[in-house]
Amino acid sequence: MNFKNNVVRWLHNNKKQSILIGILAVAAVLRLWNLTGPDMLGDDTHYAMRAVGYYDYIGSTNTQTTPVLWFDEPQWWQGFSFHDAPPLVFAVQWFFFQLFGDTIFAARIPFVLAGLFAVWGMFLLGRAATGKAWVGLVGAGVLAVMNYHVWLSRIGLLDGFVALWVIYALYFFVRAKESPKHYALWGMMCGLGMLTKYTFLFMGPLFLLLLLTVRRSAWRQKWFWAGLLIFLILLSP
């Protein structure tokens, strides 16, 4: 009984946290409900098949080959990247296949988790950009129920992770205005974005424009250059 009273008292005294927990709960239900029910079709099957063995092989009617087939002897660099996409999501899926076996659940749960962290990140971004927690709650609430993002969080497409890194890259870039050390984490998020899908490169012009206009002081910050170094290191595979 005391535990229940303590929970009720905490919820009353922490309304914003309670609302955020509720939003995350709704997001989790929408993304986990009947997760293994629909069959895997299209690119999500293609990616998952290669992630099972972390092997860059594709069978196609146009006889397209991949680097693992180009050499009689294995090359040291062949496992760093796939012929059509960076390696991060393949590696994450491979890890979950090791945990849960070769199942639809193992193939899709990484994207569910990425979706939930994206909803939480939207709250952080909205609060950091405006200084108002309610803006973050509105942003998180919209993303939690947005049909396109729910779909991305339930299917094994690389874009589900791209959305995650975009949100956190923007969040740490905003935070870096007051605390330059966040440039290091901004560089990390950009590196992870490029390790996920090459289309993350389109965030480059946005950040460059901001750095040349409203954030010109960044060029004199050591943490900014540290962030760029982290980005290049992550990009190297």
Side-chain angles (χ1 to χ4, degrees):
M1 192 65 177
N2 290 334
F3 174 75
K4 180 179 178 181
N5 292 336
N6 290 335
V7 171
V8 172
R9 190 179 302 112
W10 185 88
L11 292 175
H12 178 74
N13 295 331
N14 300 272
K15 292 182 180 179
K16 293 184 179 67
Q17 291 89 332
S18 303
I19 295 173
L20 180 59
I21 291 173
I23 290 172
L24 290 171
V26 170
V29 170
L30 292 176
R31 287 156 177 77
L32 288 169
W33 183 265
N34 196 31
L35 182 64
T36 60
D39 289 334
M40 298 185 69
L41 299 170
D43 285 347
D44 55 336
T45 306
H46 173 66
Y47 294 143
M49 181 272 293
R50 294 155 70 191
V52 168
Y54 196 76
Y55 190 71
D56 187 20
Y57 173 79
I58 178 174
S60 63
T61 56
N62 63 0
T63 64
Q64 179 182 7
T65 61
T66 65
V68 296
L69 303 176
W70 296 348
F71 306 94
D72 294 330
E73 299 275 337
Q75 304 296 308
W76 65 270
W77 50 264
Q78 287 174 326
F80 282 111
S81 189
F82 285 42
H83 76 284
D84 57 347
L88 180 60
V89 176
F90 295 100
V92 171
Q93 275 194 305
W94 174 88
F95 174 76
F96 279 89
F97 280 132
Q98 304 307 302
L99 289 179
F100 301 110
D102 302 343
T103 64
I104 294 178
F105 177 82
R108 288 177 173 163
I109 192 62
F111 301 91
V112 172
L113 297 176
L116 294 178
F117 277 109
V119 172
W120 183 42
M122 186 61 75
F123 165 74
L124 297 176
L125 175 59
R127 185 180 64 178
T130 64
K132 297 178 175 62
W134 69 266
V135 175
L137 291 173
V138 171
V142 171
L143 192 64
V145 299
M146 183 185 293
N147 60 341
Y148 185 65
H149 191 262
V150 171
W151 175 71
L152 276 182
S153 303
R154 291 175 53 87
I155 194 169
L157 297 180
L158 306 180
D159 308 80
F161 275 82
V162 172
L164 173 68
W165 307 131
V166 166
I167 290 171
Y168 279 95
L170 289 170
Y171 167 67
F172 288 118
F173 189 83
V174 170
R175 290 292 307 277
K177 181 179 181 180
E178 303 297 333
S179 180
K181 66 181 180 180
H182 286 94
Y183 279 122
L185 294 173
W186 165 73
M188 180 183 298
M189 295 304 108
C190 291
L192 292 174
M194 285 298 294
L195 279 179
T196 296
K197 192 173 183 179
Y198 298 126
T199 51
F200 188 89
L201 185 63
F202 289 103
M203 292 297 295
L206 171 61
F207 287 126
L208 182 59
L209 178 63
L210 293 173
L211 288 166
L212 292 175
T213 54
V214 299
R215 197 67 69 81
R216 284 177 292 181
S217 61
W219 301 97
R220 300 188 296 272
Q221 299 284 347
K222 65 178 182 180
W223 286 107
F224 171 73
W225 295 104
L228 288 183
L229 178 61
I230 292 172
F231 169 74
L232 292 175
I233 291 173
L234 289 175
L235 187 63
S236 60

